[in-house]
Amino acid sequence: MDGAIVRTTLSLISPGILFVFGIAFVCAWLIERKRSYLLVLASACALFALGAISQILGWPPGAGPNAIVSGAIYTSAVLAAAEGILLRSGTRLGLRMDAAVLIGFTLLLAYFFYVDRNLLARVYIQNFGYGIILLVAAVRLSPLAGGRYVDRVLFWILLAFALHFFPRTLLTVGLSVPTDKTAFANSMFWQLLQLSLAVLGVGLALAILAAAVADVIDDLRRERDTDLLTGVLNRRGFEERSAAYLRNGGQGTASLVLCDVDNFKSINDAHGHDVGDNVLREVGRVLRKSSRKGDIVGRLGGEEFAVFLPDTSAEEAYECSERLRIAIENTSFSALAGARQLTASFGVGTFKSSDAWSSLYKRVDARLYEAKRTGRNRTIAQEFSRSKVDGETEMSAHTVRPVR
């Protein structure tokens, strides 16, 4: 078989693979249409394949038109790849920046062909330029380096892909480049270019697809674990996240707060279930707003809510619970139209070294029941005295804290 045909066939492998990935991105978008970045990435794959085909097969004919057209397509592909990856994280370079870069690259390629014919300059403009575009995208996505495993993999592959343009070009081209078409196709630069694009390009496409799948799974898990009425976690989500904290050891002492809306049945009876639902929705909002960053808020069922307090002592947990109780008491619930004041009762407990989740829940639930039985709108927790014995704060049995 003719050597030129073999080289051409081998050169078409990389764009062919990326074209297949483009189809995969389109299929993923058809399944999850709200992720528009998948279409942008599909266009990047298609543009790169089109640029490679244009360059390898010589369409359009003529060295000048081919260099400019294929260069413009390659540049569009790199910009689309950067925009797609950035769009997934809620940022972007912007259409003005994209247009400026595309026009600038195209004008430079035209200048170094028609005015100052310099193939070496065109090679460096494209390779260093594409490396800089992808490097800018990687820098903007640097927070991913500390995120989920799939995000970390995506960041490092993108960074490697961006950086590889510089040493590869310097080491394989240097200060001279073959001007003969056959010699250029057989050069170390061209061969390593095809290899690096095949390996790193496919690796980047796989990482993006994996990240997209992880995003979908996280969304499904979030929907599964979220209470649709109030927007806080449902019982399953709350218990899973709390258990995960305990399973991973956490830091310091953790506490649990249970909250029950007082006289909720009478609200439903007097105003209807729609008003009752609006009240629960507002209670969920107040609990989220009044909780600390890192606290886990959930609705366990009916009018009962829970707040898991990581790294929180018994005394701090009581103070948190009182802050939540007062926040509910001071809220004017629009659904009730000023017809009555809404209050809630709270039970609080702190994990002991031998505690299981079920034992703590039962203990705190008993305190919540006691708060409801003894007058409502109060918190029952362990009582602390201010004296210290052998350097340790002394605790007595749980008692009813006075309503403030």
Side-chain angles (χ1 to χ4, degrees), residues 118-123 169 172-191:
N118 191 328
L119 177 58
L120 183 65
R122 298 203 306 273
V123 167
T169 307
T172 58
V173 174
L175 298 177
S176 63
V177 63
T179 55
D180 177 74
K181 183 176 181 180
T182 301
F184 186 82
N186 289 327
S187 68
M188 181 66 71
F189 165 75
W190 182 255
Q191 301 302 321

Side-chain angles (χ1 to χ4, degrees), residues 235-307:
R235 188 181 195 108
R236 173 176 180 163
F238 178 81
E239 292 185 351
E240 281 190 357
R241 282 162 177 74
S242 302
Y245 176 88
L246 298 173
R247 188 167 54 249
N248 294 332
Q251 292 183 356
T253 306
S255 299
L256 175 67
V257 173
L258 292 182
C259 163
D260 192 271
V261 179
D262 294 332
N263 301 307
F264 183 72
K265 183 177 183 300
S266 65
I267 295 175
N268 278 334
D269 292 342
H271 303 282
H273 288 282
D274 288 344
V275 171
D277 287 348
N278 286 332
V279 167
L280 292 177
R281 191 178 293 112
E282 186 71 6
V283 169
R285 186 193 66 80
V286 172
L287 292 176
R288 287 199 310 273
K289 182 179 178 181
S290 303
S291 295
R292 306 167 305 176
K293 182 180 180 180
D295 291 346
I296 302 172
V297 182
R299 180 187 175 206
L300 303 187
E303 66 271 25
E304 185 176 354
F305 293 81
V307 183

Side-chain angles (χ1 to χ4, degrees), residues 116-183:
D116 179 14
R117 192 155 186 164
N118 191 328
L119 177 58
L120 183 65
R122 298 203 306 273
V123 167
Y124 273 99
I125 288 169
Q126 286 187 273
N127 283 269
F128 277 28
Y130 299 160
I132 291 172
I133 293 171
L134 295 174
L135 189 58
V136 169
V139 169
R140 289 198 177 188
L141 296 179
S142 56
L144 295 182
R148 300 174 303 172
Y149 177 77
V150 67
D151 289 323
R152 295 199 300 270
V153 170
L154 174 58
F155 168 76
W156 288 111
I157 292 180
L158 176 61
L159 183 61
F161 193 32
L163 292 175
H164 100 281
F165 281 92
F166 303 100
R168 175 179 55 74
T169 307
L170 285 169
L171 294 175
T172 58
V173 174
L175 298 177
S176 63
V177 63
T179 55
D180 177 74
K181 183 176 181 180
T182 301

Side-chain angles (χ1 to χ4, degrees), residues 40-374:
V40 180
L41 292 168
S43 70
C45 293
L47 284 168
F48 179 83
L50 182 61
I53 291 172
S54 170
Q55 185 179 28
I56 294 167
L57 300 184
W59 299 332
N66 185 262
I68 294 170
V69 170
S70 64
I73 297 173
Y74 276 134
T75 304
S76 300
V78 173
L79 288 169
E83 289 287 20
I85 296 171
L86 288 172
L87 190 60
R88 173 180 172 265
S89 297
T91 184
R92 57 186 307 173
L93 296 174
L95 289 177
R96 289 185 179 180
M97 177 65 73
D98 294 339
V101 171
L102 178 59
I103 293 171
F105 273 48
T106 303
L107 290 176
L108 284 171
L109 293 177
Y111 175 84
F112 283 107
F113 186 88
Y114 290 107
V115 179
D116 179 14
R117 192 155 186 164
N118 191 328
L119 177 58
L120 183 65
R122 298 203 306 273
V123 167
Y124 273 99
I125 288 169
Q126 286 187 273
N127 283 269
F128 277 28
Y130 299 160
I132 291 172
I133 293 171
L134 295 174
L135 189 58
V136 169
V139 169
R140 289 198 177 188
L141 296 179
S142 56
L144 295 182
R148 300 174 303 172
Y149 177 77
V150 67
D151 289 323
R152 295 199 300 270
V153 170
L154 174 58
F155 168 76
W156 288 111
I157 292 180
L158 176 61
L159 183 61
F161 193 32
L163 292 175
H164 100 281
F165 281 92
F166 303 100
R168 175 179 55 74
T169 307
L170 285 169
L171 294 175
T172 58
V173 174
L175 298 177
S176 63
V177 63
T179 55
D180 177 74
K181 183 176 181 180
T182 301
F184 186 82
N186 289 327
S187 68
M188 181 66 71
F189 165 75
W190 182 255
Q191 301 302 321
L192 284 182
L193 172 64
Q194 299 305 310
L195 178 62
S196 64
L197 290 177
V199 175
L200 290 174
V202 169
L204 183 61
L206 282 173
I208 296 170
L209 274 177
V213 171
D215 291 342
V216 172
I217 292 174
D218 281 351
D219 281 354
L220 292 174
R221 185 180 291 117
R222 194 176 299 112
E223 292 175 6
R224 180 199 68 183
D225 293 344
T226 300
D227 178 58
L228 297 180
L229 177 62
T230 62
V232 301
L233 294 170
N234 58 26
R235 188 181 195 108
R236 173 176 180 163
F238 178 81
E239 292 185 351
E240 281 190 357
R241 282 162 177 74
S242 302
Y245 176 88
L246 298 173
R247 188 167 54 249
N248 294 332
Q251 292 183 356
T253 306
S255 299
L256 175 67
V257 173
L258 292 182
C259 163
D260 192 271
V261 179
D262 294 332
N263 301 307
F264 183 72
K265 183 177 183 300
S266 65
I267 295 175
N268 278 334
D269 292 342
H271 303 282
H273 288 282
D274 288 344
V275 171
D277 287 348
N278 286 332
V279 167
L280 292 177
R281 191 178 293 112
E282 186 71 6
V283 169
R285 186 193 66 80
V286 172
L287 292 176
R288 287 199 310 273
K289 182 179 178 181
S290 303
S291 295
R292 306 167 305 176
K293 182 180 180 180
D295 291 346
I296 302 172
V297 182
R299 180 187 175 206
L300 303 187
E303 66 271 25
E304 185 176 354
F305 293 81
V307 183
F308 182 82
L309 308 173
D311 193 19
T312 305
S313 66
E315 190 169 18
E316 292 169 333
Y318 167 74
E319 293 170 355
C320 290
S321 178
E322 277 293 274
R323 184 177 66 252
L324 298 175
R325 183 189 66 77
I326 293 170
I328 292 175
E329 185 181 22
N330 291 339
T331 298
S332 176
F333 286 81
S334 57
L336 298 177
R340 59 185 292 177
Q341 182 187 39
L342 191 76
T343 61
S345 300
F346 290 79
V348 182
T350 302
F351 275 92
K352 300 175 181 177
S353 57
S354 59
D355 253 336
W357 172 263
S358 57
S359 63
L360 175 69
Y361 178 83
K362 288 179 182 178
R363 191 164 70 247
V364 178
D365 190 52
R367 290 172 186 166
L368 174 61
Y369 173 79
E370 187 70 12
K372 303 282 286 187
R373 189 184 66 81
T374 56

